[in-house]
Amino acid sequence: MKKYVCLLLITCSAVFTSFAQKITIENGKLNGILPVNESGKITYQVVKSVDGAGKDELYKRGRKWFVKTYNSANQVLQVNDPSTGELTGKGIFPIVESYIGTAHTYPVRHLLAVDIKEGKYRIVLTDFVIEEKGESINVEKIPTVGRKWIDKFYTKVNTEAEALVASLQKALATADDF
């Protein structure tokens, strides 16, 4: 009887361990996919110079991008200060994921900050959170049943985040002649 109890405990332990969250930091990235800062928080950061563009011009380009991208900059922007060159907004992008044949949309909230100085800017995209069953969960701490699912989810988040940053970079680098 003892043998069966031990065998049952070992089997249960192996099953529960296989369902545990499979998250690692590889080369400064969560599961080798999402960039993380020193504290393990998902963070995209870009610092660039823009020749011939002053602080006011870059600010206008950034503000216009927030309006176009989020449809209502007034609802998204938390900080909108032309004197300091700060634009900070909270946005959402959807990630559609299938699990056991059922599609589910996860709204991924994020914080996007743009700091503007004369001829240069810094973009920081961070604070990724999903809402699930009325609960806010940091994307870094999503409970999952396996590495394959979380890697697929992380890849989709990375694609959306990189596209968002690239779009903002393009807007900041492009003069509007109209």
Side-chain angles (χ1 to χ4, degrees), residues 8-41:
L8 179 63
L9 288 174
I10 291 170
T11 304
C12 287
S13 174
V15 168
F16 290 126
T17 301
S18 71
F19 284 107
Q21 192 168 350
K22 308 276 193 266
I23 295 178
T24 60
I25 295 180
E26 303 162 14
N27 299 321
K29 296 185 174 188
L30 215 50
N31 284 10
I33 301 166
L34 295 171
V36 293
N37 63 17
E38 309 79 43
S39 64
K41 186 175 183 180

Side-chain angles (χ1 to χ4, degrees), residues 13-75:
S13 174
V15 168
F16 290 126
T17 301
S18 71
F19 284 107
Q21 192 168 350
K22 308 276 193 266
I23 295 178
T24 60
I25 295 180
E26 303 162 14
N27 299 321
K29 296 185 174 188
L30 215 50
N31 284 10
I33 301 166
L34 295 171
V36 293
N37 63 17
E38 309 79 43
S39 64
K41 186 175 183 180
I42 300 167
T43 304
Y44 293 80
Q45 182 169 313
V46 175
V47 178
K48 292 261 178 150
S49 295
V50 180
D51 293 332
K55 179 180 172 184
D56 292 340
E57 178 61 25
L58 288 173
Y59 180 83
K60 287 177 190 175
R61 292 176 191 177
R63 176 120 173 58
K64 187 174 182 179
W65 179 87
F66 269 95
V67 171
K68 284 183 174 182
T69 303
Y70 293 106
N71 297 322
S72 174
N74 292 334
Q75 290 179 342

